[in-house]
Amino acid sequence: MAKTDFKSVDEYIASQPEAIQGVLERVRSTIRKAVPGAEEVISYKIPTYKLHGRAVLYFAGWKQHYSLYPSTDRVVAAFKDDLAPYEINKGTIRFPLSEPVPVKLIEGIARLRAKEVAAREKAKAAAPKKR
């Protein structure tokens, strides 16, 4: 049984097969560069990036691919052409481990997700308070 009580993203990546650790580090650094203010945590047993306590993006390594979550309708629509070669379903984007990390695409997805989270926070703050 694989260890699943990770305390940090470093620990998570170190637990993955050596062959994919570099890929996951690249994904990690890409997200951190795109959303520099995000808090890096483990949530649902995988690396998670949060802004204002809300999840912006998660990633996870698998045998043949790594995934980004969530792929919202807005993300899929905004990056439709760039995402065409990848498998997308149920809020998940799967990238094959055998291909180079699409850094620009992941940066764009991370930035758009950060905007989505910020917009939700703004709308929530502007909404009239229920008494």
Side-chain angles (χ1 to χ4, degrees):
M1 185 72 185
K3 184 179 176 201
T4 58
D5 57 342
F6 306 110
K7 305 267 186 283
S8 69
V9 175
D10 286 327
E11 208 175 278
Y12 176 88
I13 292 173
S15 76
Q16 299 295 310
E18 205 170 306
I20 70 165
Q21 289 178 13
V23 171
L24 296 180
E25 279 293 351
R26 187 88 194 262
V27 172
R28 176 191 198 184
S29 66
T30 300
I31 295 168
R32 289 173 73 163
K33 179 182 169 198
V35 192
E39 176 187 10
E40 185 179 72
V41 299
I42 295 289
S43 181
Y44 298 107
K45 301 180 182 178
I46 59 175
T48 306
Y49 296 85
K50 292 183 168 190
L51 283 175
H52 315 294
R54 291 203 172 276
V56 172
L57 213 51
Y58 303 81
F59 76 85
W62 303 95
K63 281 185 180 172
Q64 302 294 320
H65 69 276
Y66 57 94
S67 297
L68 288 184
Y69 319 86
S71 70
T72 61
D73 291 342
R74 229 173 120 198
V75 166
V76 173
F79 298 100
K80 188 176 180 225
D81 294 340
D82 295 321
L83 289 171
Y86 305 106
E87 187 181 336
I88 304 167
N89 65 3
K90 296 185 182 172
T92 304
I93 305 169
R94 290 183 182 86
F95 298 92
L97 287 167
S98 58
E99 294 179 15
V101 174
V103 172
K104 295 282 181 218
L105 175 58
I106 293 173
E107 280 179 354
I109 291 168
R111 286 190 184 111
L112 180 57
R113 283 289 304 135
K115 284 179 188 168
E116 285 181 335
V117 168
R120 185 183 294 152
E121 282 299 302
K122 199 173 182 180
K124 204 172 159 188
K129 303 279 185 254
K130 292 182 181 177
R131 293 181 193 227

